[in-house]
Amino acid sequence: MSKPSEEAPFAYDGLDRVIHEKARLGILTSLIAHPKGLAFADLKQLCGLTDGNLSRHLQVLEEAHLVEITKTFESKRPMTTCRLTASGRRRFLEYIEVLERVVRNAVDLNEAPNTPMSRLRPRTA
Amino acid sequence: MSKPSEEAPFAYDGLDRVIHEKARLGILTSLIAHPKGLAFADLKQLCGLTDGNLSRHLQVLEEAHLVEITKTFESKRPMTTCRLTASGRRRFLEYIEVLERVVRNAVDLNEAPNTPMSRLRPRTA
C-alpha cells in the first residue's frame, strides 16, 4: 500500500476514491460488522439510505469487487444479500489505516503547528 | 455537530462533503500545520497537486469560508497566501472527530463482528 511521500506528505494517495465516498464508507463499515452478510433492507436502515441510493452505491462497490451481492428467494419473496469480499475486507482495512494517519496528522499538527514534516509520527506508530 | 443516530449508526452525516474530498483533506491538514498561512507553491508541494487542481480546490474551500486567500506582491512578484479561517479550523476539527469515529467503528467491528449497535463505543470515548 502507498506510504506517505517525503515530498508530498499530505497527498493521501491511499484514499481510494471508491471507498472514500461518504455513503460507501457507511456501507463498508456495516458489512465489516456482519461477515455473513446483510440483507438489503438492514443495510439501508443502518446507513440511512434510500433504495435508489443504496442500489447505486452497491453497484459501484460490486464493480470494484469490494462487495458481492446474491439474490435468493425466501418464502417466495426475493431477498438480496450483500457481503464484503476477502479482497474488499483487506482493501477497506488498508484504507482505514490511511484514514487513521489523516486523523493523527490533523490532531498532532493542530496541537503542535509548524512541526517539521520529517517529525510527523509514522503511519503505523 | 451531528451525533450518530440510533437508527442509522453508519450514516456519517457529519462528513461534510466540502472537507471530505481527498485533495481538500490534504490542503486543510497542511494549513492546520501552518497557522500563519502557506504560500501557494508550498501548499502545492505538500499536497502533490498541480496548479490547476490546487486553484480549483482552494476556490471551493474559499467559497465555503473555510480558507482565506490573500494576494500580495513580494519584490514585485505576485504572491498568494492561503490560511484557515477561525470557523474553518473549528469545522475541520469537528470533521476529524467524525473521521475518528469511522476509524474506530471499522477497527472495533472488524475485531468483534456482530457487536450490537448499542454497544458501539461512543464518539468521544
Side-chain angles (χ1 to χ4, degrees):
Chain A
M1 71 176 281
S2 68
K3 292 211 172 184
S5 136
E6 291 263 321
E7 292 80 40
F10 304 131
Y12 297 140
D13 287 326
L15 291 182
D16 181 335
R17 285 193 193 275
V18 173
I19 300 180
H20 191 58
E21 200 283 332
K22 159 176 159 166
R24 293 198 285 267
L25 263 185
I27 295 171
L28 294 169
T29 306
S30 304
L31 294 181
I32 213 164
H34 299 88
K36 289 185 181 167
L38 268 174
F40 187 91
D42 294 333
L43 198 47
K44 195 179 114 175
Q45 193 233 304
L46 285 171
C47 301
L49 291 170
T50 61
D51 279 24
N53 266 334
L54 179 53
S55 295
R56 189 167 55 85
H57 288 301
L58 282 176
Q59 199 185 335
V60 174
L61 292 169
E62 193 181 29
E63 279 164 12
H65 307 291
L66 290 157
V67 158
E68 62 192 2
I69 295 165
T70 48
K71 294 188 185 194
T72 51
F73 281 85
E74 198 151 286
S75 318
K76 293 192 180 168
R77 294 186 55 162
M79 164 109 176
T80 302
T81 307
C82 316
R83 205 184 327 254
L84 267 185
T85 62
S87 76
R89 169 175 304 267
R90 181 177 46 73
R91 282 162 61 196
F92 182 47
L93 292 172
E94 281 176 2
Y95 165 92
I96 288 293
E97 275 189 48
V98 184
L99 214 56
E100 231 177 322
R101 180 156 59 85
V102 174
V103 169
R104 212 160 45 212
N105 283 349
V107 170
D108 288 357
L109 291 167
N110 179 52
E111 286 166 3
N114 304 310
T115 304
M117 294 303 130
S118 58
R119 294 253 192 95
L120 284 181
R121 277 194 273 164
R123 186 172 53 80
T124 49
Chain B
M1 72 178 278
S2 68
K3 295 211 171 184
S5 133
E6 291 264 322
E7 291 79 40
F10 304 130
Y12 297 139
D13 287 327
L15 291 182
D16 181 334
R17 285 192 194 276
V18 173
I19 301 179
H20 191 60
E21 200 284 331
K22 156 177 162 166
R24 293 198 285 268
L25 262 185
I27 295 171
L28 293 169
T29 305
S30 305
L31 293 180
I32 214 164
H34 298 89
K36 290 185 181 166
L38 268 175
F40 187 91
D42 294 333
L43 198 48
K44 197 180 111 174
Q45 192 233 302
L46 285 171
C47 300
L49 292 170
T50 61
D51 280 23
N53 266 334
L54 178 53
S55 294
R56 189 166 57 82
H57 288 301
L58 282 176
Q59 198 185 334
V60 174
L61 292 169
E62 193 182 29
E63 280 165 9
H65 307 289
L66 289 158
V67 159
E68 61 192 3
I69 295 163
T70 49
K71 294 188 186 197
T72 52
F73 281 84
E74 199 152 286
S75 317
K76 293 193 181 165
R77 292 186 56 161
M79 162 107 178
T80 302
T81 307
C82 316
R83 205 185 326 256
L84 266 186
T85 62
S87 74
R89 170 176 303 270
R90 182 178 45 71
R91 281 161 61 196
F92 182 48
L93 291 172
E94 281 175 0
Y95 164 90
I96 289 293
E97 277 188 48
V98 184
L99 214 55
E100 231 178 319
R101 179 156 60 82
V102 174
V103 170
R104 212 160 45 213
N105 283 348
V107 170
D108 288 357
L109 291 167
N110 179 52
E111 286 167 4
N114 304 312
T115 303
M117 294 303 128
S118 58
R119 295 251 193 96
L120 285 182
R121 278 195 273 165
R123 186 172 53 82
T124 49

